[in-house]
Amino acid sequence: IAKSAEIIGDVVIEDSARVLEGAKVKGPCFIGKNSVVGNNAIVRDGTDVEVNCVIGANMEVKNSLIMKNTKVHSGFIGDCVIGEDVRTGADFHTANKRIDRKNISVLSPDEKEVNTGLVGLGAIIGNNVKIGIKSSTMPGIIIGEDSIIGPSTTVIKNVPAHSKYYTKFQETITKNK
């Protein structure tokens, strides 16, 4: 644990885990073996980071479960469940509250809307998902296993397992006069 890191409250940090310079871990939290909490990262309020994970520099993780071998870069993850072997690019953000602060609903596999009774729920992300840089998810989104989310994409609906979800771009180049 770096000298400039802060450990506050009920926190378990297992052997061989590292908390780097400027990071803050505010309990209750669990940091598993061989995991790294990067420079200036914040891990707080009920987060469980399992073994062999990386919480990248400048990432904030709140009240979330990060399963083993997952590596998240920078951004915000709130009220989420993130599976094993997930990778997120830089500047990944999960929305965990509706703008109107009403309860969050999720869409079931049979396309039925289910009210969770929660005002805070981020994404539920399956195993082996890869997420490109500058991407985000809306509250209550489910991303199935082995899926790919393209860069600069906002996920606004559930993504089935083994799928690719991309935002289409159009480039325009014009000459200055």
Side-chain angles (χ1 to χ4, degrees), residues 3-86:
K3 289 181 182 180
S4 62
E6 291 183 71
I7 309 299
I8 303 165
D10 188 16
V11 175
V12 173
I13 300 174
E14 289 196 322
D15 291 340
S16 70
R18 296 184 300 148
V19 181
L20 302 183
E21 290 79 9
K24 181 182 288 190
V25 182
K26 183 179 176 194
C29 286
F30 174 85
I31 309 295
K33 290 181 181 180
N34 299 319
S35 289
V36 176
V37 178
N39 298 81
N40 303 312
I42 301 170
V43 178
R44 64 183 178 93
D45 302 334
T47 293
D48 178 343
V49 177
E50 288 296 312
V51 300
N52 300 318
C53 291
V54 174
I55 306 302
N58 304 308
M59 172 60 86
E60 179 178 359
V61 183
K62 173 213 170 253
N63 190 39
S64 295
L65 172 60
I66 310 291
M67 301 295 281
K68 70 181 182 179
N69 302 318
T70 287
K71 297 182 176 27
V72 295
H73 204 291
S74 57
F76 173 76
I77 293 172
D79 303 306
C80 294
V81 176
I82 299 185
E84 297 179 5
D85 300 299
V86 171

Side-chain angles (χ1 to χ4, degrees), residues 89-143:
D91 206 21
F92 170 65
H93 296 267
T94 62
N96 61 334
K97 297 201 185 291
R98 289 172 45 122
I99 200 164
D100 61 9
R101 299 304 195 247
K102 291 183 179 177
N103 286 353
I104 296 167
S105 294
V106 295
L107 202 58
S108 70
D110 60 351
E111 303 288 317
K112 291 186 181 170
E113 193 171 298
V114 178
N115 184 334
T116 65
L118 300 170
V119 294
L121 176 63
I124 301 167
I125 300 174
N127 295 338
N128 199 38
V129 169
K130 307 298 182 251
I131 300 175
I133 67 167
K134 296 185 180 284
S135 294
S136 59
T137 60
M138 297 304 286
I141 290 297
I142 300 169
I143 300 174

